[in-house]
Coordinates of all heavy atoms in Angstrom, one line a residue:
Chain B
L253 N -33.9 52.5 -39.3 CA -32.8 52.4 -40.3 C -32.3 53.7 -40.6 O -31.0 54.0 -40.7 CB -33.2 51.9 -41.5 CG -33.3 50.3 -41.7 CD1 -33.6 49.8 -43.0 CD2 -31.9 49.8 -41.2
K254 N -33.2 54.8 -40.7 CA -32.7 56.1 -41.0 C -32.1 57.0 -39.9 O -31.9 58.0 -39.9 CB -33.8 56.9 -41.7 CG -34.2 56.2 -43.1 CD -34.9 57.2 -44.0 CE -35.1 56.6 -45.2 NZ -36.2 57.2 -46.0
G255 N -31.9 56.3 -38.7 CA -31.4 57.0 -37.6 C -32.3 57.9 -36.8 O -31.9 58.6 -36.0
L256 N -33.6 57.7 -37.1 CA -34.5 58.5 -36.2 C -34.8 57.8 -34.9 O -34.5 56.6 -34.7 CB -35.9 58.5 -37.1 CG -35.9 59.3 -38.3 CD1 -37.1 59.3 -39.0 CD2 -35.7 60.9 -37.9
P257 N -35.2 58.5 -33.9 CA -35.3 58.0 -32.6 C -36.4 56.7 -32.6 O -37.2 56.6 -33.5 CB -36.0 59.0 -31.7 CG -36.1 60.1 -32.6 CD -35.5 59.9 -34.0
D258 N -36.2 55.8 -31.5 CA -37.0 54.6 -31.5 C -38.5 54.9 -31.3 O -38.9 55.4 -30.3 CB -36.5 53.8 -30.4 CG -37.2 52.5 -30.3 OD1 -38.1 52.1 -31.2 OD2 -36.9 51.6 -29.4
T259 N -39.3 54.8 -32.4 CA -40.7 55.3 -32.3 C -41.6 54.4 -31.4 O -42.5 54.9 -30.8 CB -41.4 55.3 -33.7 OG1 -41.0 54.1 -34.4 CG2 -40.9 56.4 -34.5
E260 N -41.1 53.1 -31.2 CA -41.9 52.2 -30.4 C -41.9 52.7 -28.9 O -42.8 52.7 -28.2 CB -41.5 50.8 -30.5 CG -41.9 50.2 -31.7 CD -42.0 48.7 -31.6 OE1 -42.7 48.2 -30.6 OE2 -41.5 47.9 -32.5
Q261 N -40.8 53.1 -28.6 CA -40.5 53.6 -27.1 C -41.3 54.9 -26.9 O -42.0 55.1 -25.9 CB -39.1 53.8 -26.8 CG -38.3 52.6 -26.3 CD -37.0 53.0 -25.7 OE1 -36.9 53.9 -24.9 NE2 -36.0 52.2 -26.0
V262 N -41.1 55.7 -27.9 CA -41.8 57.1 -27.8 C -43.3 56.9 -27.7 O -44.0 57.5 -26.9 CB -41.4 58.0 -28.9 CG1 -42.2 59.3 -28.9 CG2 -40.0 58.3 -28.9
S263 N -43.8 56.0 -28.7 CA -45.2 55.8 -28.7 C -45.7 55.2 -27.4 O -46.8 55.6 -27.0 CB -45.6 54.8 -29.9 OG -46.8 54.3 -29.8
E264 N -45.0 54.3 -26.8 CA -45.4 53.6 -25.6 C -45.6 54.7 -24.5 O -46.5 54.7 -23.8 CB -44.3 52.6 -25.1 CG -44.7 51.6 -24.2 CD -43.6 50.7 -23.9 OE1 -43.0 50.1 -24.7 OE2 -43.4 50.6 -22.7

Side-chain angles (χ1 to χ4, degrees):
Chain B
L253 273 186
K254 294 203 176 158
L256 288 169
D258 187 1
T259 43
E260 283 207 48
Q261 274 194 42
V262 177
S263 167
E264 203 183 304

